Amino acid sequence: MLRPGEAADDTTLLIRAAPGLIDEAVVDVAEAALDSADTYEVERPDGLRVLLYGVSVFALAPGADEGELLRRFASSPYYLEASARQVRAAGFEVMPTGANRAHFDVLLIDGQSASQPLLSMGEVHAAARRLVEACGDIRPNRSYAGGSHD
C-alpha cells in the first residue's frame, strides 16, 4: 500500500542490516529487495503496476529517540543510516508504504512489471551496493537483543 506524501529530504532513514561487513550487508539488502519483489507489487501514481524491489526503512522523526526506533531492529546487530536526500541522490525513490507513517521503502529497481520475470541476484546486487555505499558506515545497533556485535 502506498500512502500519499513523501519523506522530506532531511528525513533520516534507518535500514536494518544484520551483517557487519559492507559486502555482506549488500547481499542482505539485495536479498530483501528480491523477497519484496517476489511478494509485492505497487501501483505508481502514473497507474503503472511495478514489482516492489524495495528495502524496508523507518524514518526518524525530528527530535525522536533513535534508540526507540532501533528497537524495531532488535534482531539485527547493525544498521545503516542516510538522509532521504542522500538516498535520492544515489538514484533511488523513497516510497511511503504501509499504514505506519514512519515506514518507507527504498525502491532499488523501478519499472519492472509483474508480467516480467524476477531479476537475478546479480542484477539487484549493483543497486544494493549503491544504496549501502550512499549510507556510509555500518553502525552497531545499541538495541540489539543478541548482546555482542562481534
Side-chain angles (χ1 to χ4, degrees):
M1 170 181 101
L2 288 179
R3 295 186 318 273
E6 64 179 37
D9 277 347
D10 62 349
T11 300
T12 299
L13 303 175
L14 304 181
I15 306 168
R16 176 197 63 80
L21 301 173
I22 293 289
D23 288 340
E24 292 173 358
V26 169
V27 171
D28 192 53
V29 166
E31 287 174 347
L34 281 167
D35 286 346
S36 175
D38 193 33
T39 306
Y40 302 107
E41 59 183 75
V42 293
E43 185 171 337
R44 299 183 53 86
D46 61 7
L48 180 65
R49 290 192 70 77
V50 298
L51 296 175
L52 181 62
Y53 284 92
V55 177
S56 180
V57 303
F58 283 92
L60 183 62
D65 176 19
E66 185 177 77
E68 185 174 319
L69 189 55
L70 286 173
R71 282 191 279 284
R72 290 182 178 270
F73 305 148
S75 64
S76 297
Y78 300 94
Y79 71 100
L80 298 162
E81 178 179 310
S83 70
R85 178 183 296 109
Q86 289 171 288
V87 170
R88 289 182 182 119
F92 302 108
E93 184 175 351
V94 180
M95 304 174 79
T97 53
N100 184 331
R101 305 295 277 155
H103 188 269
F104 293 84
D105 270 87
V106 174
L107 186 61
L108 292 189
I109 307 286
D110 193 10
Q112 295 292 309
S113 78
S115 64
Q116 296 174 299
L118 282 178
L119 296 174
S120 70
M121 172 61 106
E123 292 170 302
V124 179
H125 190 270
R129 179 162 298 282
R130 279 195 353 261
L131 176 61
V132 169
E133 288 175 353
C135 293
D137 294 335
I138 294 177
R139 301 163 185 251
N141 181 356
R142 66 181 184 266
S143 296
Y144 175 51
S148 173
H149 289 93
D150 297 331

Short mmCIF file of all heavy atoms in Angstrom, two decimals, residues 19 80 123 128:
data_model
loop_
_atom_site.label_atom_id
_atom_site.label_comp_id
_atom_site.label_asym_id
_atom_site.label_seq_id
_atom_site.Cartn_x
_atom_site.Cartn_y
_atom_site.Cartn_z
N PRO A 19 24.35 -8.15 8.83
CA PRO A 19 25.79 -8.35 8.79
C PRO A 19 26.54 -7.05 9.10
O PRO A 19 26.06 -5.95 8.81
CB PRO A 19 26.07 -8.77 7.35
CG PRO A 19 24.76 -8.93 6.68
CD PRO A 19 23.74 -8.23 7.51
N LEU A 80 22.07 0.71 8.93
CA LEU A 80 22.57 1.75 8.04
C LEU A 80 21.72 2.98 8.23
O LEU A 80 20.54 2.89 8.59
CB LEU A 80 22.49 1.28 6.58
CG LEU A 80 23.32 0.04 6.24
CD1 LEU A 80 22.83 -0.57 4.94
CD2 LEU A 80 24.78 0.42 6.14
N GLU A 123 21.65 -8.76 -10.93
CA GLU A 123 21.03 -7.53 -11.42
C GLU A 123 20.64 -6.60 -10.27
O GLU A 123 20.69 -5.38 -10.41
CB GLU A 123 19.81 -7.86 -12.28
CG GLU A 123 20.18 -8.54 -13.59
CD GLU A 123 18.98 -9.09 -14.33
OE1 GLU A 123 18.25 -9.93 -13.75
OE2 GLU A 123 18.77 -8.69 -15.49
N ALA A 128 21.88 -2.55 -4.85
CA ALA A 128 22.04 -2.69 -3.41
C ALA A 128 23.36 -2.08 -2.95
O ALA A 128 23.44 -1.40 -1.93
CB ALA A 128 21.95 -4.16 -3.00
#
